[in-house]
Amino acid sequence: MGSPTDNAARLAFDFGTFAEDVVISDIKVEEIFFAVTGIEDLPEQSDVRYYPNPVTSWIYIDNRAGYHGATLLDMNGRALAKYELSVSEHTLNLEGIPRGLYVMVLSGNGSSQRLKILKL
């Protein structure tokens, strides 16, 4: 709070992993922020290699047979960038992406794979 007369209340809810029966009512919400405090491990699906991770500017993706597209998602699921993967091109430029934790979704041939990316 900014001062003793600050009339804005701050509420924090920790629902854990089970929030099915939680009911919140009679609250006026003007602004809401979500803090990501963890991420589940994504299962390894193939031998796709990506490096370096953490990445500062360029990321290299090898052994990506069948994948022709890549989408970079933030932790809220918003797409920040889309890339086309060709047979000859296996580098992606992440220079304009802010620092943070992301998920790179590789897609193609009716399948997809998620990769965890840490941008420095």
Side-chain angles (χ1 to χ4, degrees), residues 36 38-39 53 72-76 80 98-103 116-119:
V36 177
I39 182 169
N53 195 17
L72 187 68
L73 306 174
D74 67 11
M75 289 293 96
N76 291 317
L80 299 179
R99 294 166 47 152
L101 183 61
Y102 299 94
V103 174
K116 290 184 282 189
I117 306 290
L118 177 60
K119 173 70 167 65

